[in-house]
Amino acid sequence: MLTSLMLTPGAAATQQAATLYGTVRDSATGHALEDARVGVQGTAYVPTDATGRYTLTGIAAGTVVVRAQRFGYRAATDTLTLAPGDSVAANFVLRPSALHMDPLVVTAAKRSQLLDQVVTSVALVQDSELARRAVNTVDEAVDKAPGVQFLNGQVNIRGSSGYVQGLGARVLLLVDGVPANEGDRGGINWDMLPVDQVERVEIVKGAGSTLYGSAALGGVVNLITREIPAGSHARVRATAGSYANPPDTIWRFRNYTGAQEGLDVTASYGGDALRAGLTAGARHSDGYREQDRSDHWQMVGKGEWLPSAATRLRLTGSWASNQYQAPLLWCERGTCVDRGQAYQPFRIDTSQAGAYTRSDKGLFAATVEHTMSPRESWLARGSWLRTDFTDYRRPVGDFGVANRYGVEVRGLVRPTASRVVTVGAEGALSDVTSDIFGNHWQDEFAAYGESEQRLGPARMTAGARVDYIAVDGGGLSAVVSPRAGLVLPGARGTLVWRLSVGRGFRAPSLAERFVQTSLGGLTVVPNPGLGPETAWSFEVGNAAQFGTVVRTDAALFWTEASDLIEPTVDPMSAQIQFKNLQRARLAGLDVAVYAFPLTPHLSTSLAYTLLYTRELAHDTVPARPLAFRPRHLLTLGADYTFGGFDLGADFRYSSSFERVELYPPTDPRVSPKVLDLRAGYQRDALSVRLLVANALNYLYNLAPQTLAPVRTVTMTLTWIY
Amino acid sequence: MPRRAPPFTALFALLCGAACNGGLQPLAPPTSCPRGLVGICGTITFQGTVPDSTQAVYVVAYHTFPHSRDSLFTFQPSLPLLQKLPLDGATAFYAIPVAAGRYEWVVAVWVKQGFTLANADSTLREAGYYRDGANPSLPGVVNVYAQGTDSIDFVIDFGQMHPPCSYYSPPCP
């Protein structure tokens, strides 16, 4: 009854409006294109389903321009005249052209805009790339993006974070625009969403605090989840794989080959006014080293109500539960059955054998979007992120329960045809209950605004955000984060220059302020007076297209950071404490080249980042490189597609860190050189993909005494109904 | 156009070739200072029986001899970089990273299970130290330059260990 009442206004409205339906297909193969976007220009777009079908309802009668687009294809448009109540078919055939890049992004300015209109560098990982790479977790998908490197689960964008063992990421994670960094440690849970639910990833590089506030010091990663297609659909993704055994028998630690397997099942229904989808899944892994077994369960739900063409209410929820053995530092001589070796990279110190962690996390959000007119729209959102962990270790374990409640209201106004203004306000309450972090909470209030003005072909952007932060009900501290930018297209539209300067900041996490524990004989003491760390980021970028063969994107960047929060060791008192210590400089060059050198079937890519980092002199410490940052980061990729088959490879090289911290001198350091191979076959609704990650079984470590993943062979089967 | 294929193939083959070698390899414990280490290295000879209550044994170095309890933790390397000595043989090689400079005392510290800062006096023991060549009753001075200082060898005698208070005032009760 309630449902029918809710549907009534929408149903009445659609009686006066027209409906469009049809299919979108690939011009070369004739295959249906899933997740193509179709819409009337100026309104919301809908995705096509697995059979390439779409339905657009509630279209105002009159002459409309309908556009169909998909990443890797040239967009197509059609002009139609619709009468009230019409139901008209409009089919689209898109030509493949991976170089034809006019994707929409939503993260850089908190609104939809074309990629070449963004003032900062944005890297995109599209769903086609996610599928082709056949990765199993979201962090694996993000890892190969230009300028991005993961250190044991900690994301670095242009060297922003280094390695601080999960405390206080300098990158903000968003899930469909909802902040999702942990309320206590400020870290990121990359396993909160199954990778199959992610449609694309937008990675905004450089300080993004003007719109996003704390944590967006080094960049923002936004996971955009799949839209619910029209009609009834199902999706099954099954994976199975195995880990390579140690290449030398002296390193063997078990008498069987480790395996991993996983299953995700999605069901969805999309009607005119109501849409809903539910995904459930589980994964198991034996791990590739001693004490590395893990189990993972997850569930994701999404519901939408569209009472009118101008209004959308979206409810999303995801929950994940993990139980994993704690893969502790590898064994050095004398701390395990070392077989006479200086270290055993596959084994752990036996004093912590049996340690494991139980972790649960959930993210729930409700969003209302309303378009009042082509010139005005608003959005309101509430979210709740909960994390709960218990470490079972000797002699005693730790636990922590944290919440982050967030609200945001945002308005988008186009006062003139050449100006766009975004304004908004945000609030957040984070709390923690833990034996090592204590019982504390933090309030955050913020207001922001940014305006873009078009001046001829150029676009100028200016904005600012002010954040107020209070801890445990204490006095408010304020941080102002301005940004200005310019986008200047060159002649013939094949060249775009961008320039930006902005300020970023990160408030210390509750964990950094209040952690109180002991670590290897050291006492970790709290520092409630810890202040935020800040940075100014400058960037000059250029995107260029050379015919239909080569596209490039390059950026020079420069970041001056102040008051960086780092753990300090006082040998006199044998204490560790987080302090605002460092001034640092991170500068470099980020280059990406995409090319079709021989045939349209072959695509190649090159991404290179040159990074110069310096911790500036302070106290008695001389200037030196920042720890855990590589000078060179290179990723090469090649993919060959023919009919339903595709073959591909990625190669990643990272130079040795110039400086590391807390490494024992016996710990070897090598430059990672990792080759991934992949193959796939797709026929209609079924696809099979083979991934051989680290195919050469190159053994290396990025984090201290922590072996990076060995060769892993994974087969993924996806079926779509 | 097809002439472009060889450079791409060659580049890829070169990279694959580079990745086929290198990486982590089995490594026997060092018997001399690792290259690039700025610190102190040497061989420990064990005497006596390792106590059942042993948590770990570390080698540390003091710029100046610790004459008070306040200076007990002024050693190098810093605590997170301490390495446990392997106790399963008659000898053990050690290599500790310390800053270049002069060190008056290079000492092995025995740590009892249950050690905390509060009970350091009862859970730490001096288990042996590097001795002066001319007068073995005195600690030997070690100078570290821009590389490892090797052959700082000494004996750990688990039957002759002394609490920290043996070395400063007031003396042990």
Side-chain angles (χ1 to χ4, degrees):
Chain A
M1 181 65 180
L2 183 62
T3 305
S4 61
L5 283 173
M6 289 193 299
L7 287 173
T8 304
T14 52
Q15 286 170 6
Q16 305 302 318
T19 298
L20 269 180
Y21 63 91
T23 59
V24 181
R25 294 185 175 276
D26 182 308
S27 67
T29 65
H31 288 160
L33 290 176
E34 185 190 8
D35 277 334
R37 304 285 148 152
V38 184
V40 175
Q41 286 194 336
T43 67
Y45 283 40
V46 299
T48 55
D49 62 19
T51 60
R53 286 194 296 256
Y54 74 92
T55 304
L56 276 171
T57 56
I59 303 171
T63 300
V64 294
V65 178
V66 187
R67 179 184 170 96
Q69 62 187 39
R70 194 182 194 284
F71 186 79
Y73 292 84
R74 286 181 186 277
T77 57
D78 198 357
T79 304
L80 302 167
T81 302
L82 304 172
D86 264 1
S87 183
V88 176
N91 298 321
F92 294 89
V93 177
L94 303 186
R95 276 175 53 203
S97 175
L99 282 175
H100 195 80
M101 295 284 291
D102 57 354
L104 289 169
V105 293
V106 297
T107 311
K110 279 199 171 180
R111 60 184 168 83
S112 286
Q113 59 184 154
L114 292 171
L115 182 61
D116 63 7
Q117 296 172 357
V118 178
V119 296
T120 55
S121 292
V122 177
L124 287 177
V125 183
Q126 296 282 353
D127 62 333
S128 55
E129 198 174 343
L130 289 170
R132 205 173 57 230
R133 289 187 191 280
V135 293
N136 290 313
T137 56
V138 175
D139 53 340
E140 290 174 22
V142 178
D143 188 26
K144 296 291 194 306
V148 177
Q149 185 184 36
F150 273 78
L151 269 72
N152 210 24
Q154 189 149 11
V155 65
N156 272 267
I157 297 177
R158 292 175 176 169
S160 56
S161 297
Y163 179 63
V164 285
Q165 303 194 15
L167 284 178
R170 294 185 178 119
V171 171
L172 176 66
L173 175 72
L174 306 172
V175 177
D176 288 325
V178 178
N181 286 38
E182 296 166 339
D184 51 356
R185 288 183 280 195
I188 291 175
N189 288 303
W190 293 100
D191 55 1
M192 194 132 55
L193 274 182
V195 70
D196 201 38
Q197 282 300 301
V198 178
E199 182 180 271
R200 72 178 192 277
V201 184
E202 296 183 9
I203 302 159
V204 182
K205 303 177 188 179
S209 295
T210 300
L211 292 173
Y212 290 103
S214 180
L217 189 77
V220 179
V221 175
N222 193 2
L223 309 179
I224 315 283
T225 61
R226 292 182 187 280
E227 296 279 356
I228 302 169
S232 298
H233 296 281
R235 190 179 183 95
V236 179
R237 186 179 195 266
T239 61
S242 66
Y243 299 104
N245 288 313
D248 198 295
T249 52
I250 207 163
W251 283 347
R252 290 294 289 263
F253 64 100
R254 61 186 173 198
N255 55 10
Y256 62 91
T257 298
Q260 60 167 335
E261 54 277 335
L263 180 69
D264 288 303
V265 179
T266 301
S268 68
Y269 171 76
D272 288 344
L274 282 174
R275 296 174 181 179
L278 184 69
T279 298
R283 285 199 310 270
H284 167 80
S285 168
D286 291 332
Y288 58 91
R289 52 195 165 161
E290 191 177 38
Q291 192 160 306
D292 194 23
R293 186 181 293 262
S294 66
D295 291 291
H296 178 90
W297 303 269
Q298 62 200 11
M299 188 168 281
V300 179
K302 182 188 271 190
E304 286 184 350
W305 177 41
L306 297 95
S308 72
T311 305
R312 178 165 76 161
L313 168 66
R314 176 190 285 188
L315 299 172
T316 58
S318 63
W319 171 83
S321 182
N322 297 66
Q323 183 162 310
Y324 53 90
Q325 293 181 308
L328 302 157
L329 302 183
W330 75 37
C331 149
E332 295 277 340
R333 174 108 171 91
T335 59
C336 67
V337 182
D338 57 38
R339 294 176 179 155
Q341 293 290 294
Y343 67 103
Q344 280 281 352
F346 289 85
R347 290 179 178 272
I348 61 151
D349 184 332
T350 47
S351 65
Q352 284 295 341
Y356 70 97
T357 296
R358 176 68 199 252
S359 165
D360 297 281
K361 59 218 99 177
L363 176 63
F364 307 91
T367 305
V368 181
E369 294 172 79
H370 182 68
T371 303
M372 292 173 284
S373 72
R375 291 187 169 186
E376 297 163 316
S377 62
W378 59 263
L379 170 154
R381 170 186 291 145
S383 63
W384 174 36
L385 170 69
R386 183 178 176 85
T387 54
D388 181 345
F389 79 91
T390 305
D391 282 337
Y392 295 90
R393 299 187 183 199
R394 284 182 289 189
V396 290
D398 300 319
F399 75 92
V401 180
N403 297 288
R404 185 187 189 280
Y405 307 95
V407 291
E408 180 178 11
V409 290
R410 186 194 313 162
L412 184 69
V413 183
R414 298 175 192 272
T416 66
S418 60
R419 179 179 291 180
V420 186
V421 179
T422 306
V423 293
E426 271 193 274
L429 167 65
S430 303
D431 65 51
V432 63
T433 302
S434 166
D435 62 329
I436 53 174
F437 307 139
N439 300 335
H440 300 279
W441 76 93
Q442 177 169 292
D443 304 304
E444 299 169 59
F445 311 97
Y448 60 84
E450 189 170 67
S451 174
E452 179 191 277
Q453 177 70 49
R454 215 165 58 218
L455 292 171
R459 292 169 188 271
M460 296 176 65
T461 301
R465 171 170 167 138
V466 57
D467 282 83
Y468 296 95
I469 297 163
V471 177
D472 289 342
L476 290 171
S477 59
V479 183
V480 179
S481 309
R483 177 170 75 174
L486 174 69
V487 175
L488 188 62
R492 291 177 294 177
T494 57
L495 190 72
V496 178
W497 288 95
R498 59 179 185 271
L499 174 70
S500 68
V501 52
R503 190 172 191 234
F505 88 100
R506 183 178 73 88
S509 65
L510 290 171
E512 286 167 316
R513 282 183 199 271
F514 297 111
V515 62
Q516 194 163 17
T517 184
S518 63
L519 192 68
L522 294 166
T523 304
V524 186
V525 296
N527 183 1
L530 205 57
E533 52 186 21
T534 59
W536 280 98
S537 283
F538 307 85
E539 180 183 315
V540 180
N542 174 275
Q545 189 159 326
F546 302 93
T548 57
V549 177
V550 176
R551 185 173 63 83
T552 63
D553 191 293
L556 284 166
F557 57 91
W558 186 291
T559 297
E560 292 284 333
S562 303
D563 300 323
L564 287 183
I565 299 168
E566 298 286 336
T568 61
V569 180
D570 179 4
M572 297 291 286
S573 58
Q575 289 181 339
I576 295 179
Q577 189 177 43
F578 285 91
K579 291 182 178 174
N580 294 102
L581 270 190
Q582 294 180 3
R583 285 184 56 221
R585 179 170 300 147
L586 298 97
L589 171 69
D590 216 356
V591 179
V593 181
Y594 305 91
F596 288 70
L598 300 170
T599 154
H601 295 294
L602 177 64
S603 63
T604 60
S605 63
L606 178 153
Y608 171 69
T609 302
L610 170 66
L611 191 59
Y612 168 86
T613 69
R614 277 292 175 277
E615 175 188 326
L616 304 184
H618 62 89
D619 300 328
T620 59
V621 179
R624 55 186 181 175
L626 284 170
F628 298 112
R629 273 79 168 183
R631 174 67 69 94
H632 306 282
L633 188 61
L634 173 72
T635 307
L636 298 173
D639 282 281
Y640 185 80
T641 308
F642 183 77
F645 293 93
D646 59 80
L647 291 169
D650 282 323
F651 180 82
R652 164 65 68 97
Y653 166 79
S654 168
S655 61
S656 294
F657 298 131
E658 291 181 82
R659 189 170 75 83
V660 296
E661 288 173 328
L662 308 183
Y663 261 76
T666 51
D667 207 48
R669 273 185 276 155
V670 297
S671 305
K673 300 164 192 151
V674 179
L675 177 71
D676 294 346
L677 300 174
R678 52 181 176 264
Y681 174 70
Q682 179 167 2
R683 183 176 177 125
D684 299 327
L686 193 67
S687 74
V688 183
R689 299 198 177 272
L690 175 72
L691 172 68
V692 186
N694 194 359
L696 301 172
N697 205 20
Y698 188 88
L699 301 187
Y700 66 100
N701 64 312
L702 291 170
Q705 290 178 259
T706 305
L707 183 67
V710 301
R711 179 174 59 230
T712 308
V713 180
T714 312
M715 182 77 81
T716 302
L717 183 72
T718 307
W719 175 76
I720 302 166
Y721 168 74
Chain B
M1 270 309 227
R3 279 178 300 176
R4 291 186 186 176
F8 271 93
T9 310
L11 177 63
F12 218 75
L14 183 70
L15 293 169
C16 293
C20 283
N21 295 310
L24 302 177
Q25 304 289 337
L27 183 68
T31 54
S32 61
C33 267
R35 199 173 61 180
L37 173 77
V38 178
I40 301 169
C41 311
T43 300
I44 303 283
T45 302
F46 297 110
Q47 292 180 358
T49 306
V50 180
D52 291 339
S53 59
T54 301
Q55 178 172 307
V57 179
Y58 303 105
V59 177
V60 299
Y62 289 83
H63 278 298
T64 55
F65 197 91
H67 287 293
S68 69
R69 194 186 186 292
D70 290 344
S71 53
L72 192 60
F73 290 97
T74 59
F75 56 77
Q76 289 195 34
S78 59
L79 282 165
L81 285 178
L82 289 178
Q83 298 164 72
K84 288 181 184 176
L85 278 179
L87 304 175
D88 55 350
T91 62
F93 182 83
Y94 73 91
I96 57 171
V98 298
R102 182 176 183 275
Y103 293 88
E104 289 186 354
W105 203 27
V106 178
V107 59
V109 179
W110 176 84
V111 183
K112 189 178 181 178
Q113 290 173 1
F115 160 79
T116 65
L117 283 176
N119 64 16
D121 286 322
S122 60
T123 53
L124 297 182
R125 294 284 186 277
E126 169 269 302
Y129 54 88
Y130 176 63
R131 292 171 186 270
D132 186 277
N135 184 355
S137 64
L138 296 176
V141 173
V142 176
N143 288 300
V144 176
Y145 303 103
Q147 57 186 345
T149 299
D150 214 335
S151 300
I152 306 302
D153 306 334
F154 59 97
V155 174
I156 287 179
D157 186 346
F158 290 110
Q160 293 290 323
M161 299 196 294
H162 307 98
C165 56
S166 304
Y167 294 95
Y168 50 73
S169 298
C172 296

